[in-house]
């Protein structure tokens, strides 16, 4: 029996792309789709529960998410299903393309009559299918996209019309920018690093970092010596690295989901540039990135939900990773770890089960308010952290809440570091740390 007596219902309620196995996510464009309305609005009719999953299945993030959903559903069916009904999964490939994602989401809703949508990786994809999902009213739990605009443009702008939309993780990139400020404090305390540079993909998910992180760092007493958004089509990092060398930061906070960044890492090591490379690098989350980068990933860090299974964030984290690895043991396509999106997707499947069983219905066409109220009543111990949602009237209604320690520091944003010989450890925050952060050996 796994987890899942996790019925921590709080009745009163106190409370982005990786290195691909085949190819890499390109910059997302825009698209349009003809929207049709669902003829059937939700299950619980004795025919079983159907979960629709959307993700870019040509890259490891999407595959990890899909396999994590499959594992959760296998476990749930072994445990009696949802409301005693068998659960099925239909997973579709968005190709990280908004137009493709709209077509697939429409098909899942209107032809497959799914009871809930879970997934989506790129923020551009999530934003582009929002209107259609809202018009159909199907519950939708976003598990891979971090732009706060997903909530701001939907539940946050018209609550009644968009209340079917939730986000189970990671914390949105507005709070991620604040969390990076706390991480800068740690780097300053440990290494005396007090000057920083900032680089980011020119993409929706990085806007909050661009708008907030430099000020966040300066408000904490640090100097920000360089800021730049980079084209996702960049193919020559030499000018960027030359500029960074001239500006002489102690560390570079870079936020790459669309940019692989292997060339940047290669130059960093070859030239032994005197700064750390920190922040978020989605490509570096893949289990084989160290080998793919030929060791150039050594010393770089990235934040990722679940901390890549390096540490027991909750009592569920490491057990889930063990079960996932057994589940994909003979699966040559699946990544060896769930990836950050896999943690969030696995949790989302169980969140949905908890909510509809509490509501007593999966019929969102007639009882959406009951399902929404049950979701808002959850205080759920997930694999990536304790999960509860902001409510109507909050800045980010239906978004996963950030966790804070007694000093107000955000703690559900773990950061991992590749160490020499390919070891991966959690270096932040303190309560989840498995090793202290290591500066590049040429900086000692």
């Amino acid at each position: 029996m796994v987890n899942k007596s996790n019925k921590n219902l709080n009745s009163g309620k106190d409370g982005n792309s990786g290195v691909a196995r085949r190819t890499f996510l390109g910059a997302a464009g825009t698209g349009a789709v003809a929207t049709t309305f669902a003829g059937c609005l939700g299950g619980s009719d004795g025919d079983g529960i159907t979960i629709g999953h959307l993700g870019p299945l040509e890259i490891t993030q999407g595959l990890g998410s899909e396999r994590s959903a499959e594992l959760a559903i296998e476990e749930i069916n072994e445990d009696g299903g949802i409301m005693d009904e068998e659960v099925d999964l239909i997973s579709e490939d968005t190709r990280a393309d908004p137009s493709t994602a709209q077509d697939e989401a429409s098909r899942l809703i209107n032809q497959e009559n799914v009871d809930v949508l879970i997934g989506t990786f790129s923020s551009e994809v999530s934003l582009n299918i929002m209107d259609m999902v809202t018009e159909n009213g199907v519950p939708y739990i976003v598990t891979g996209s971090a732009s706060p605009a997903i909530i701001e443009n939907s539940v946050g702008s018209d609550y009644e019309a968009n209340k079917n939309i939730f986000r189970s993780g990671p914390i949105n990139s507005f709070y991620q920018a604040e969390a990076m400020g706390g991480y800068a404090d740690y780097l300053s305390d440990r290494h005396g690093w007090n000057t920083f540079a900032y680089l980011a993909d020119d993409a929706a998910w990085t806007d909050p970092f661009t708008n907030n992180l430099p000020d966040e760092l300066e408000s904490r007493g640090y100097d920000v010596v360089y800021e730049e958004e980079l084209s996702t089509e960049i193919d020559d990092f030499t000018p960027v690295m030359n500029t960074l060398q001239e500006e002489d930061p102690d560390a570079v906070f870079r936020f790459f989901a669309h940019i692989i960044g292997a060339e940047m890492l290669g130059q960093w090591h070859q030239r032994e540039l005197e700064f750390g490379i920190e922040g978020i690098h989605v490509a570096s989350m893949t289990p084989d990135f160290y080998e793919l980068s030929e060791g150039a990933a050594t010393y770089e860090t990235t934040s990722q939900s679940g901390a890549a299974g390096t540490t027991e964030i909750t009592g569920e984290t490491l057990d889930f990773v063990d079960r996932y690895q057994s589940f994909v043991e003979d699966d040559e396509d699946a990544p060896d770890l769930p990836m950050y999106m896999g943690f969030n997707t696995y949790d989302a499947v169980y969140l949905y089960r908890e909510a509809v069983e509490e509501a007593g219905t999966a019929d969102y066409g007639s009882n959406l308010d009951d399902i929404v109220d049950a979701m808002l009543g959850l205080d759920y111990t997930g694999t990536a952290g304790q999960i509860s949602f902001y409510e109507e009237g909050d800045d980010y209604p239906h978004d996963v809440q950030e966790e804070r320690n007694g000093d107000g520091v955000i703690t559900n944003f773990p950061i991992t570091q590749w160490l020499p010989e390919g070891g991966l450890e959690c270096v932040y925050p303190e309560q989840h740390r498995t090793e202290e952060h290591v500066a590049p050996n040429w900086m000692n």
Side-chain angles (χ1 to χ4, degrees):
M1 183 73 63
V2 289
N3 189 346
K4 297 298 180 184
S5 55
N6 195 339
K7 291 184 177 297
N8 295 340
L9 287 166
N10 181 359
S11 57
K13 192 164 186 347
D14 302 311
N16 287 267
S17 309
V19 167
R21 287 178 179 267
R22 302 187 183 93
T23 185
F24 180 75
L25 171 65
T30 58
V33 69
T35 300
T36 56
F37 289 90
C40 176
L41 302 177
S44 194
D45 54 3
D47 293 331
I49 301 291
T50 304
I51 293 176
H53 172 265
L54 289 168
L57 304 183
E58 78 277 19
I59 69 170
T60 50
Q61 301 291 349
L63 284 173
S65 177
E66 181 187 63
R67 299 299 193 272
S68 297
E70 291 170 349
L71 172 59
I73 289 168
E74 179 178 282
E75 293 172 350
I76 286 172
N77 282 333
E78 288 175 354
D79 195 33
I82 295 178
M83 295 184 297
D84 298 322
E85 293 193 34
E86 188 83 2
V87 184
D88 291 322
L89 176 74
I90 302 177
S91 181
E92 296 296 349
D93 188 358
T94 64
R95 302 178 187 174
D97 173 68
S99 180
T100 301
Q102 282 199 341
D103 291 342
E104 295 299 346
S106 178
R107 195 182 70 76
L108 288 174
I109 296 169
N110 298 306
Q111 296 180 30
E112 300 292 350
N113 298 319
V114 298
D115 297 290
V116 59
L117 281 175
I118 290 175
T120 60
F121 173 66
S122 159
S123 290
E124 284 81 356
V125 163
S126 300
L127 289 164
N128 213 43
I129 69 171
M130 207 67 70
D131 287 348
M132 184 204 45
V133 171
T134 292
E135 288 170 0
N136 287 279
V138 61
Y140 172 35
I141 307 175
V142 180
T143 63
S145 313
S147 171
I150 293 165
I151 294 297
E152 291 172 330
N153 295 353
S154 59
V155 200
S157 62
D158 186 341
Y159 185 85
E160 278 302 312
N162 297 278
K163 58 189 175 186
N164 56 317
I165 295 171
F166 286 80
R167 230 180 49 81
S168 66
I171 60 171
N172 74 47
S173 45
F174 173 81
Y175 289 116
Q176 290 181 15
E178 179 187 334
M180 281 294 166
Y183 181 55
D185 290 341
Y186 167 65
L187 295 175
S188 178
D189 291 342
R190 176 151 179 77
H191 301 302
W193 292 356
N194 297 312
T195 59
F196 298 97
Y198 169 78
L199 297 175
D201 284 344
D202 184 8
W205 77 284
T206 63
D207 287 346
F209 294 108
T210 302
N211 296 333
N212 299 305
L213 183 56
D215 289 344
E216 178 72 29
L217 294 172
E218 290 175 348
S219 72
R220 294 170 185 259
Y222 307 120
D223 293 326
V224 179
V225 297
Y226 182 63
E227 303 173 34
E228 186 67 61
E229 287 188 341
L230 303 176
S231 166
T232 56
E233 303 299 322
I234 187 171
D235 58 5
D236 181 6
F237 268 95
T238 300
V240 175
M241 301 305 274
N242 288 344
T243 301
L244 289 171
Q245 186 176 30
E246 292 170 3
E247 297 297 339
D248 194 28
D250 293 321
V252 178
F253 281 100
R254 55 84 187 84
F255 300 90
F256 293 168
H258 299 264
I259 297 171
I260 295 178
E263 184 199 350
M264 178 179 180
L265 296 175
Q267 290 200 30
W268 181 47
H269 276 264
Q270 291 165 8
R271 298 166 62 176
E272 296 192 342
L273 297 173
E274 296 278 332
F275 51 77
I277 294 185
E278 312 291 334
I280 300 175
H281 186 197
V282 176
S284 185
M285 300 175 190
T286 58
D288 54 358
F289 185 72
Y290 184 88
E291 287 76 16
L292 291 170
S293 72
E294 299 180 342
T298 306
Y299 303 118
E300 80 155 343
T301 66
T302 184
S303 179
Q304 52 182 323
S305 297
T310 57
T311 187
E312 186 79 301
I313 296 173
T314 74
E316 307 296 333
T317 309
L318 298 184
D319 285 346
F320 162 57
V321 173
D322 287 344
R323 294 196 303 276
Y324 173 90
Q325 292 181 327
S326 295
F327 186 69
V328 303
E329 185 177 14
D330 298 322
D331 184 342
E332 294 182 356
D333 292 328
D336 296 334
L337 291 170
M339 316 302 299
Y340 88 89
M341 189 175 168
F343 284 92
N344 299 326
T345 294
Y346 180 87
D347 287 343
V349 173
Y350 275 102
L351 285 164
Y352 176 74
R353 184 185 78 161
E354 297 286 316
V356 296
E357 290 195 339
E358 174 65 15
T361 178
D363 181 1
Y364 64 84
S366 301
N367 302 297
L368 179 60
D369 283 348
D370 293 336
I371 298 171
V372 169
D373 288 345
M375 284 286 285
L376 292 174
L378 293 173
D379 185 5
Y380 181 82
T381 302
T383 63
Q386 197 68 23
I387 300 173
S388 59
F389 296 102
Y390 281 109
E391 300 189 50
E392 182 180 10
D394 290 326
D395 289 341
Y396 300 104
H398 294 195
D399 207 351
V400 62
Q401 295 193 33
E402 80 281 13
E403 297 177 66
R404 296 178 185 271
N405 66 16
D407 296 322
V409 176
I410 293 174
T411 58
N412 55 341
F413 193 60
I415 293 175
T416 57
Q417 182 177 33
W418 286 109
L419 299 178
E421 308 304 324
L424 191 66
E425 299 288 350
C426 181
V427 297
Y428 185 85
E430 181 178 0
Q431 64 265 43
H432 302 317
R433 181 175 298 140
T434 55
E435 292 285 347
E436 295 282 1
H437 180 278
V438 178
N441 58 4
W442 59 85
M443 293 182 69
N444 295 325

